[in-house]
Structures are given as C-alpha cells and as structure tokens.
Amino acid sequence: VFSKIFSHEALESYLPKIQLVIKDTLRAWSSNPESINVYHEAQKLTFRMAIRVLLGFRIPDEELSQLFEVYQQFVENVFSLPVDLPFSGYRRGIRARETLQKGLEKAIQEKLQNTQGKDYADALDILIESGKEHGKELTMQELKDGTLELIFAAYATTASASTSLIMQLLKHPRVLEKLQEELRSKGILHNGCICEGSLRLDNINSLHYLDCVIKEVLRLFTPISGGYRTVLQTFELDGFQIPKGWSVMYSIRDTHDTAPVFKDVDVFDPDRFGQDRSEDKDGRFHYLPFGGGVRTCLGKHLAKLFLKALAIELASTSRFELATRTFPRITLVPVVHPVDGLKVKFFGLDSNQNEILTGTDAMLGATV
C-alpha cells in the first residue's frame, strides 16, 4: 500500500506543493534579520512538508507549530529507557504520543469531512482508498498509526540531509555556481527567476549535476548509520557462521568509507557520480544511503525529490552565508547534524538577483 504513495504519479502531484512549502520557508528565513539554526528550521520544514503535502492536513499555522513542539518531544524520547516513572523520558514520550494522536485524529476527521477543493490525491487518500480496494475499511487507530509512521519517516532523516546540503553549498561555492549554470542551460533559471512551469518531474530528473550533488551529500553525510535484518538461513561470512534467526546490522557509513570504488572518500566531490566516472556503478552495495535489497527505503524517491527541489530554490532565489567564524563539528546521533545546528544568515533576492534589505538595513536604505 505504501509503495503507491511514492509512485511516479504521486510524486508528480506532490511536486507543486513541495515547491510552495519550500518557497514559503526560504522567504521566512530571508526575512529574519538574525541568523537561523538551519537544522532546527529544517526539522520544521520537513514536518510541515509531511503535514501539508503528504497528508493534506489543513491545520492552521499556530496549531501546526504546537503540534511540531509535541512531535519533537515525542521523537526526543523514542529511544529512552522503558522505565515508567514520573518525569522520566519514557513518561514524557508516552504523554507526547497521546497528545500527538489526539491532534492527528482531529485532523483526520476534519479531512474526511471536508473533501472540497482537492486537486491531488495525497498519501492519506491513497492509504484510505487502498484499504477499500482490499475490502478493508481502515480504523481510526490504523489511520493514526499510518499517519504517524509517514511523518516519522519523512522527518529526521530528510532534515539531516537538508542541513548537510546547505552546509556543503556553503563550503563549496563552485558547486553552487555549477548548479546555477545547469539550471540556466536547461531553461529553468532565467534572469534570476525560475521560469514558470519549468519545474516538472521529468525536468528535475534530467538535471544530471544536481543528481550528482544530492548523491554526494548522501554518500558523505548519510543521515542514519545502518539497518537491521533477520537471518533467514544460516550462512558463513569471512569464516564466521551466522545462525538462522539472529539479527544482523549492516553499516551504511562504514560501507561508504571503505568501499574500494570511492576515491578520496573524505572529499566532497559530486563529479565522482558523473557519467565519466560513475563510481557508484561498480558494485551493487557499495553505495546504499537508503539501504538495499527488497527492503530498501520506500520513500527514497520522495526524499531525493525534496532535496532537489530545495537545492534548486537555494541556487535560484537565495543568498546565504555562514554566521559563525568556522563550520561546526558534526555529530552522528541520533542522525547526522551539526552540533550547533549550523547558524546561517539568509538574504532574499529580487528578480535581478539583488539582495533585499531586511530589518534595520531596510529602514536605513529607505531613509537614504
């Protein structure tokens, strides 16, 4: 059922909504006279994308902000010790989940009652219809569980990758320039503006250098460390016997660091995925940011589409610079992110690629 949610047709229908959410977010970042914490704001962005685009909920902004705070408390306590004592992380997580599910139930009920003005089928619509096709009306609890799972899947890892993308564009301005050159050559960017109607799914998929940039971000800064599998049949690996029924963990990061196909593994080099080199084509499981095999990540195409749409907007409509003297250290838990969240100052651009003054600067400019 979930595979339908991430089909080519579904992604095509999500794209305009994703663009709108990203545009609104970058406009808010640029209008802020202070620097922003990119990782925290990216979490808000991916949460908003999940709520507005994937699920089609029409929750007012104030309620959405409150729901985000509750959701963060839920996520922060997911990996707590299962000790149900007052003020424990476990108790806070349980309470946050209960509050969250109440909010989701209200949103689902409002959605089911109000079907007017819909111009696309979102993930929740597909989930409900698929249940009916299989002769099973999904219960409210099942809808809440499916909704929460979709939000969870779209949230932390995509926020992590979005933050890593922005950091690498800051570190490597030539990469940003090459992205802009490709957008111009494909007729997407003209006179500092994204040409109307140019951002279709097929157009985005034709941007080869953009694809290389996203691949390299995910290779060097894979959001999660690895995945688990259960052994279905006893086998031997490098002289060690792995019994049936055991759980095994494969490491994505260690694989990317040690795979012999990648040259200079610590260097950010999108061209390694270019047609001349194609370093990821030399082995099935040398490059696996979304896992591998039959249980590879279902949402990988949506995640890549979101990152590409974000990169296009960053390259087209924004100027941004590091707000600290040096780049922050990276931590790997619970997902990859800068320890200070990455402090960045965004500047809006008008259609002629001139900076739009904000705050005090705007007042001074108007006075002059």
Side-chain angles (χ1 to χ4, degrees):
V1 171
F2 271 20
S3 65
K4 291 184 179 181
I5 291 169
F6 305 111
S7 67
H8 184 277
E9 294 75 16
L11 295 180
E12 188 83 68
S13 69
Y14 300 156
L15 181 55
K17 317 297 178 185
I18 291 173
Q19 286 176 258
L20 187 60
V21 169
I22 292 174
K23 279 179 181 289
D24 287 346
T25 298
L26 289 181
R27 193 178 297 118
W29 291 359
S30 299
S31 65
N32 191 335
E34 305 296 330
S35 63
I36 66 162
N37 181 317
V38 172
Y39 181 55
H40 182 69
E41 293 298 325
Q43 288 175 316
K44 288 183 182 178
L45 169 58
T46 53
F47 183 78
R48 180 178 290 268
M49 190 272 291
I51 292 291
R52 295 269 194 250
V53 181
L54 261 187
L55 301 170
F57 290 156
R58 300 175 183 178
I59 300 174
D61 285 343
E62 188 175 339
E63 283 185 35
L64 189 63
S65 296
Q66 292 171 355
L67 202 61
F68 172 72
E69 297 300 327
V70 173
Y71 182 77
Q72 269 205 314
Q73 190 168 43
F74 164 70
V75 171
E76 286 169 3
N77 292 288
V78 162
F79 297 106
S80 57
L81 290 172
V83 179
D84 192 9
L85 295 173
F87 311 112
S88 67
Y90 181 80
R91 179 74 64 87
R92 287 196 299 272
I94 292 294
R95 285 179 176 170
R97 187 186 65 182
E98 290 170 353
T99 304
L100 190 61
Q101 290 210 339
K102 286 178 183 176
L104 292 176
E105 182 170 343
K106 178 186 174 188
I108 292 169
Q109 286 175 338
E110 289 176 355
K111 179 184 174 69
L112 294 174
Q113 292 167 3
N114 184 10
T115 57
Q116 301 299 316
K118 287 276 300 183
D119 58 353
Y120 78 109
D122 56 56
L124 195 55
D125 294 329
I126 296 170
L127 198 62
I128 292 168
E129 287 305 311
S130 294
K132 290 178 181 177
E133 287 173 14
H134 290 84
K136 185 181 190 319
E137 194 84 24
L138 296 178
T139 66
M140 177 57 71
Q141 188 58 48
E142 287 171 329
L143 288 175
K144 287 189 292 184
D145 289 342
T147 297
L148 191 55
E149 188 169 346
L150 283 169
I151 297 171
F152 193 80
Y155 173 73
T157 52
T158 313
S160 166
S162 300
T163 305
S164 297
L165 169 65
I166 292 171
M167 186 163 70
Q168 293 313 299
L169 293 179
L170 282 167
K171 280 187 173 183
H172 305 279
R174 179 58 189 145
V175 170
L176 187 59
E177 290 171 12
K178 287 183 71 173
L179 276 179
Q180 292 166 337
E181 289 167 11
E182 182 176 53
L183 293 174
R184 283 191 285 267
S185 70
K186 293 288 186 178
I188 292 175
L189 184 61
H190 181 68
N191 287 337
C193 289
I194 295 177
C195 299
E196 189 173 347
S198 63
L199 282 189
R200 298 185 304 276
L201 196 56
D202 56 345
N203 285 5
I204 291 178
N205 289 337
S206 72
L207 297 170
H208 297 300
Y209 186 69
L210 173 60
D211 188 56
C212 292
V213 170
I214 300 305
K215 280 183 175 178
E216 182 67 341
V217 168
L218 293 173
R219 181 194 70 83
L220 201 55
F221 300 97
T222 307
I224 58 171
S225 59
Y228 292 93
R229 295 291 185 268
T230 299
V231 179
L232 300 180
Q233 183 175 334
T234 300
F235 68 98
E236 193 171 289
L237 179 66
D238 290 342
F240 294 92
Q241 190 180 77
I242 316 297
K244 177 182 177 180
W246 278 34
S247 291
V248 296
M249 179 182 179
Y250 64 92
S251 175
I252 294 173
R253 293 193 191 113
D254 290 331
T255 301
H256 288 178
D257 287 346
T258 59
V261 295
F262 296 123
K263 315 302 180 196
D264 301 318
V265 291
D266 295 327
V267 176
F268 183 78
D269 179 15
D271 289 320
R272 73 172 74 247
F273 294 110
Q275 294 176 345
D276 296 337
R277 291 163 62 183
S278 298
E279 292 184 8
D280 62 322
K281 299 293 192 299
D282 295 336
R284 274 187 75 196
F285 299 119
H286 290 305
Y287 179 75
L288 61 166
F290 295 100
V294 294
R295 292 200 174 273
T296 187
C297 176
L298 274 175
K300 64 181 180 180
H301 296 300
L302 176 62
K304 286 163 70 174
L305 178 62
F306 178 85
L307 291 170
K308 287 178 180 181
L310 176 60
I312 289 169
E313 289 294 337
L314 288 167
S316 305
T317 61
S318 294
R319 190 175 77 77
F320 44 100
E321 61 185 35
L322 190 66
T324 52
R325 294 182 65 181
T326 59
F327 283 96
R329 180 174 58 84
I330 300 296
T331 182
L332 305 180
V333 291
V335 294
V336 169
H337 68 280
V339 290
D340 74 343
L342 189 64
K343 305 292 178 58
V344 175
K345 179 71 181 82
F346 278 78
F347 305 88
L349 297 174
D350 62 19
S351 60
N352 296 314
Q353 292 288 287
N354 298 312
E355 290 179 22
I356 299 173
L357 298 175
T358 58
T360 307
D361 290 337
M363 294 170 64
L364 289 172
T367 304
V368 173

